[in-house]
Amino acid sequence: MSRDPNLASYAAHPEASPGRLFAEDEPASRTEFQRDRDRIIHCAAFRRLEYKTQVFVNHEGDLFRTRLTHSIEVAQIARSIARNLRVNEDLVEAISLAHDLGHTPFGHAGQDALNACMQDHGGFEHNLQSLRVVDSLEQRYGAFDGLNLMFETREGILKHCSLPNARKLGRIGLRFIERKQPTIEAQIANLADEIAYNNHDIDDGLRSGVLSTAQLDEIDFYARQRREVERTFPGIGGRRAINETIRRMINALIVDLITTSQMRIADARLQTVDDVRNAPPLIAFSDKVGAEAALLKRFLRQNMYQHYLVNRMTSKARRIITDLFNAFVAEPNLLPPDYQRVGADGEPAQGAPSSQEHSVADYIAGMTDRYAMREHRRLFEVDEI
Ligand code: MG
């Protein structure tokens, strides 16, 4: 396939990619990154995102974001930015849709709990787990484990990584050791994630009653957009006013990100993807808008993520994950056979994780919120089977 002339020279071009771990024939009717996106959409971990949440647990209401709708919003925002910057839209879409595949049930509370359980075994990092899902845990293809994605997609999924883990990963971990940047497309997906959750968490916070509009008016960025909405639509109120305000916030963030990034890209005089890797981060907000986004984040941390109703959920989640982990590690024969590291013959199964704890972590991380709750009942309630 020849180079796409519509893309900037410093965009990720599949022809210049290190490619896939297992060589495959070129796709006939789509680009390599479109093939990645398609594999992600068809995998089981992607479907589970529907029943995993970030802040609110799935059963708390039908209108809250799940990790699935979150990932779709991230992809939408990231594609808009990528198109404006003439970089690879297919790649940002693939990264965005896959970026949360390794998340535990119960959002950050679940991740923190599993990380604490795994402290003596290298910890648990959800970015690394997302990579594990696409590299090995998905078992769908005859020729390889995982989805055999392109290097750039895998690199974008591995947004953060601790140095000890990076050292074990070979080429994909190298940028953390060398302190280099990933592709522009990975940088875009990263900031699109932030734009998406800051705004939808405000929306969900208001919808759930955890946040009030009066509280939000204390944030200048929100208050400015809200005043603008009231000027444009006198007498507007309720959900319509909230939606109009939030869509303006998202738009303001995206427009600022595009203009600022365009300037940074021009200043860096980029020619190739290698130039991108060696340059400072290119996708960024202006100082002013970056400071506003940081305030928004702080507001959410203080008022939403630590709200007592959210804390109750967090505490319950921690207990469920910890109970499950301890029970399975103590008695691996309670696990479904695929997750029992050592078979009936006393030998580790082929391709088994390095310890039973890792295998339990894989099992728990793959659970949806409701599956984890059900599994907890099955193990701890005598009248549940
Ligand atoms: Mg995310």
Side-chain angles (χ1 to χ4, degrees):
M1 198 174 274
S2 57
R3 261 174 116 87
D4 182 345
N6 297 316
L7 294 184
S9 62
Y10 45 82
H13 292 264
E15 314 73 40
S17 166
R20 305 177 189 276
L21 288 176
F22 299 90
E24 293 188 61
D25 292 341
E26 250 185 44
S29 58
R30 48 187 175 167
T31 68
E32 294 282 9
F33 294 124
Q34 282 173 338
R35 173 150 73 177
D36 280 6
R37 177 211 47 207
D38 299 347
R39 286 183 178 179
I40 291 158
I41 287 177
H42 286 271
C43 82
F46 185 72
R47 287 192 294 280
R48 290 198 200 109
L49 294 176
E50 185 175 0
Y51 301 102
K52 291 191 181 200
T53 41
Q54 317 209 93
V55 181
F56 296 96
V57 175
N58 207 269
H59 66 269
E60 290 182 301
D62 289 346
L63 289 175
F64 298 125
R65 265 59 171 201
T66 66
R67 286 210 183 268
L68 180 65
T69 57
H70 162 71
S71 301
I72 294 171
E73 289 183 28
V74 174
Q76 179 274 314
I77 291 169
R79 287 182 62 183
S80 295
I81 298 166
R83 187 175 291 209
N84 273 277
L85 298 178
R86 291 183 42 240
V87 297
N88 203 312
E89 237 180 290
D90 299 330
L91 175 58
V92 292
E93 188 181 16
I95 298 171
S96 302
L97 294 177
H99 84 284
D100 272 353
L101 288 179
H103 263 283
T104 60
F106 312 125
H108 296 291
Q111 134 91 23
D112 292 347
L114 197 51
N115 187 31
C117 292
M118 289 293 286
Q119 242 0 275
D120 297 337
H121 308 275
F124 176 87
E125 296 177 31
H126 60 85
N127 285 298
L128 195 58
Q129 191 68 12
S130 298
L131 186 67
R132 233 174 110 57
V133 168
V134 300
D135 277 0
S136 58
L137 294 181
E138 282 289 327
Q139 305 209 324
R140 311 176 56 77
Y141 300 93
F144 44 77
D145 281 347
L147 307 180
N148 196 30
L149 301 180
M150 296 284 281
F151 178 84
E152 291 79 0
T153 312
R154 298 170 59 235
E155 176 192 45
I157 291 172
L158 192 63
K159 187 161 65 175
H160 307 289
C161 185
S162 65
L163 279 180
N165 281 328
R167 287 192 195 100
K168 289 181 215 148
L169 290 175
R171 185 167 186 176
I172 202 94
L174 215 54
R175 78 175 167 95
F176 299 98
I177 299 161
E178 294 176 344
R179 297 178 174 279
K180 289 188 177 176
Q181 300 303 316
T183 59
I184 287 195
E185 288 83 353
Q187 297 182 39
I188 291 174
N190 188 11
L191 278 158
D193 185 21
E194 192 175 317
I195 295 175
Y197 68 67
N198 279 335
N199 287 284
H200 66 50
D201 284 355
I202 288 180
D203 191 33
D204 285 352
L206 288 169
R207 191 185 299 278
S208 64
V210 163
L211 299 177
S212 70
T213 47
Q215 249 178 325
L216 275 159
D217 273 337
E218 289 166 25
I219 308 171
D220 197 41
F221 185 51
Y222 178 91
R224 276 202 324 271
Q225 315 291 341
R226 186 172 163 86
R227 281 198 298 273
E228 160 80 23
V229 169
E230 280 159 4
R231 259 197 307 276
T232 315
F233 305 105
I236 194 172
R239 291 263 11 134
R240 248 188 236 268
I242 294 169
N243 286 335
E244 283 286 352
T245 305
I246 292 177
R247 67 182 275 248
R248 278 170 174 73
M249 288 173 37
I250 296 177
N251 194 53
L253 291 167
I254 293 178
V255 170
D256 179 79
L257 191 80
I258 292 170
T259 13
T260 311
S261 305
Q262 270 165 342
M263 285 187 302
R264 292 171 76 103
I265 289 170
D267 285 350
R269 300 179 187 288
L270 307 170
Q271 299 289 331
T272 66
V273 167
D274 271 341
D275 296 342
V276 171
R277 296 184 185 284
N278 292 315
L282 295 161
I283 302 300
F285 295 114
S286 63
D287 290 347
K288 181 171 169 282
V289 171
E292 302 203 285
L295 277 180
L296 207 61
K297 233 176 172 169
R298 201 172 69 192
F299 171 87
L300 284 167
R301 209 170 34 239
Q302 289 172 347
N303 298 286
M304 178 139 156
Y305 309 143
Q306 289 169 18
H307 190 279
Y308 84 97
L309 289 175
V310 176
N311 285 343
R312 285 184 184 188
M313 221 299 293
T314 308
S315 155
K316 226 185 299 186
R318 198 184 312 122
R319 232 166 309 142
I320 292 176
I321 299 276
T322 313
D323 284 351
L324 290 177
F325 184 87
N326 291 336
F328 289 133
V329 168
E331 295 180 79
N333 59 359
L334 303 180
L335 285 161
D338 281 359
Y339 291 94
Q340 294 187 21
R341 189 175 163 270
V342 177
D345 55 0
E347 294 295 318
Q350 206 199 349
S354 51
S355 71
Q356 186 60 59
E357 285 80 1
H358 280 94
S359 184
V360 170
D362 283 342
Y363 182 46
I364 294 178
M367 293 179 185
T368 60
D369 297 355
R370 60 184 191 175
Y371 186 87
M373 291 187 282
R374 203 179 300 152
E375 194 71 335
H376 191 268
R377 283 199 301 274
R378 279 186 207 125
L379 288 177
F380 292 94
E381 308 285 324
V382 276
D383 54 355
E384 184 88 19
I385 42 167

